[in-house]
Amino acid sequence: MDIKDIKKAGVSNASEIDIKEYELKEKDKKIKFEEIRIKKGEEKKREHKLKKFLKKFWNVVWKDDSFKGWLISLLFIFVVIKFIFFPLLSLATGTNLPLAIVESCSMYHKGDLLGSYNNWYEKHEAKYSELGITVEEFRDFKMKKGFNKGDILFIVGAKPEKIKVGDIIIFNAGTANPVIHRVIKISEDETGKLFFSTIGDNNYGQLPAEKSISEEQLVGKASLRIAPLIGWGKLVFFEGKKSPAERGFCSEN
């Protein structure tokens, strides 16, 4: 008897059939026979329960318009983003902060993406001249038009020796959140260790914490702006805790 014969007897799924072949010796003769068992349902039940659960979960997450469905959907999205998306993105970018929300106006340029670089630089030329940076050099800098409060930046890991003047780095400065400013000077000590000096495009001068940034303080380098102003969806909940001078939209200094 083979699988086809068994199917004729009413068993349609070959995965439910278990066939074992045996040999017995009787008076110098070998007798071959087959033990045929139909698998009863534990595996089938488990498979059915799993399919049923996944189908029900799918309907709740994506099709249920009730408050319960909405709540479960948010929880599901949160879990996926926090425990799957961000860990994979961190692994790919080489930094534990692959996406950063700009929380201050220190890198703001009037008009931002649509603003005039030449008009902005004329107002800030004296500051950069003192730092030994010319208008031609600044024109070649990454994100020469700065960025706005609430923008979301894509951050990549950066080896200290690969960072150049004009790059925008994110670093730990002993504050609640890392700082995102432009590199204006790179120095090296006698051991070959690098130190970075930065400034905010919209600041008059340097913060004490950014005059000598060590390699260990580096978090990464800003690669591009991926979502202008979208970060306000989070910032709006924290604006009330800031000083009046730090609240609200940006203006150019």
Side-chain angles (χ1 to χ4, degrees), residues 87-98:
L88 289 176
L89 190 60
S90 294
L91 186 64
T93 57
T95 176
N96 60 5
L97 190 65

Side-chain angles (χ1 to χ4, degrees), residues 13-27:
N13 192 344
S15 65
E16 298 175 3
I17 303 168
D18 188 15
I19 299 177
K20 291 185 179 179
E21 191 175 90
Y22 297 89
E23 285 186 354
L24 290 179
K25 289 184 178 181
E26 185 178 332
K27 294 181 180 180

Side-chain angles (χ1 to χ4, degrees), residues 4-248:
K4 292 181 179 178
D5 297 323
I6 297 172
K7 286 185 176 180
K8 289 178 181 178
V11 180
S12 60
N13 192 344
S15 65
E16 298 175 3
I17 303 168
D18 188 15
I19 299 177
K20 291 185 179 179
E21 191 175 90
Y22 297 89
E23 285 186 354
L24 290 179
K25 289 184 178 181
E26 185 178 332
K27 294 181 180 180
D28 299 324
K29 293 182 179 180
K30 288 184 179 180
I31 302 173
K32 184 181 291 186
F33 70 93
E34 293 174 337
E35 179 184 305
I36 301 172
R37 293 186 299 172
I38 308 301
K39 295 179 184 177
K40 301 287 182 184
E42 286 305 320
E43 290 183 11
K44 191 173 181 181
K45 285 180 182 178
R46 285 196 294 268
E47 184 179 340
H48 176 71
K49 285 181 179 179
L50 179 60
K51 287 182 178 178
K52 189 176 180 180
F53 169 77
L54 291 175
K55 184 177 181 180
K56 185 177 180 181
F57 182 75
W58 176 266
N59 287 333
V60 170
V61 171
W62 301 112
K63 296 182 180 181
D64 190 343
D65 293 329
S66 67
F67 177 76
K68 176 185 175 183
W70 179 77
L71 196 61
I72 292 175
S73 296
L74 285 181
L75 182 61
F76 174 72
I77 292 170
F78 171 79
V79 170
V80 169
I81 291 175
K82 183 172 180 62
F83 297 104
I84 298 177
F85 176 73
F86 270 109
L88 289 176
L89 190 60
S90 294
L91 186 64
T93 57
T95 176
N96 60 5
L97 190 65
L99 298 177
I101 297 175
V102 180
E103 299 184 0
S104 77
C105 297
S106 63
M107 290 293 294
Y108 175 72
H109 291 213
K110 186 176 181 180
D112 217 14
L113 282 173
L114 302 177
S116 169
Y117 163 74
N118 290 330
N119 290 341
W120 176 86
Y121 193 85
E122 285 178 7
K123 297 178 182 178
H124 296 265
E125 184 173 6
K127 176 177 71 177
Y128 288 103
S129 293
E130 290 180 5
L131 297 170
I133 297 172
T134 66
V135 61
E136 290 79 14
E137 289 174 322
F138 201 101
R139 188 176 285 113
D140 293 330
F141 285 171
K142 190 88 172 179
M143 297 184 186
K144 66 180 181 181
K145 291 188 177 182
F147 39 81
N148 207 340
K149 183 178 180 181
D151 289 353
I152 298 179
L153 304 181
F154 185 67
I155 310 297
V156 297
K159 294 180 179 180
E161 62 271 18
K162 297 291 185 181
I163 294 174
K164 301 176 294 185
V165 170
D167 286 343
I168 295 169
I169 61 171
I170 179 168
F171 60 95
N172 293 311
T175 52
N177 297 308
V179 175
I180 309 173
H181 279 177
R182 192 182 303 278
V183 176
I184 54 172
K185 184 181 178 182
I186 302 173
S187 57
E188 185 177 342
D189 67 9
E190 61 278 3
T191 66
K193 190 174 181 179
L194 297 173
F195 291 85
F196 305 92
S197 180
T198 66
I199 196 171
D201 286 359
N202 198 36
N203 287 354
Y204 291 114
Q206 290 181 278
L207 304 173
E210 64 179 333
K211 292 183 178 181
S212 183
I213 303 159
S214 68
E215 298 177 5
E216 291 77 19
Q217 291 176 259
L218 290 175
V219 176
K221 181 172 69 172
S223 177
L224 55 93
R225 169 171 32 189
I226 60 174
L229 302 178
I230 298 299
W232 271 103
K234 176 183 177 180
L235 295 184
V236 69
F237 296 102
F238 302 95
E239 283 294 284
K241 298 179 181 179
K242 295 182 178 180
S243 66
E246 296 177 315
R247 295 176 194 164

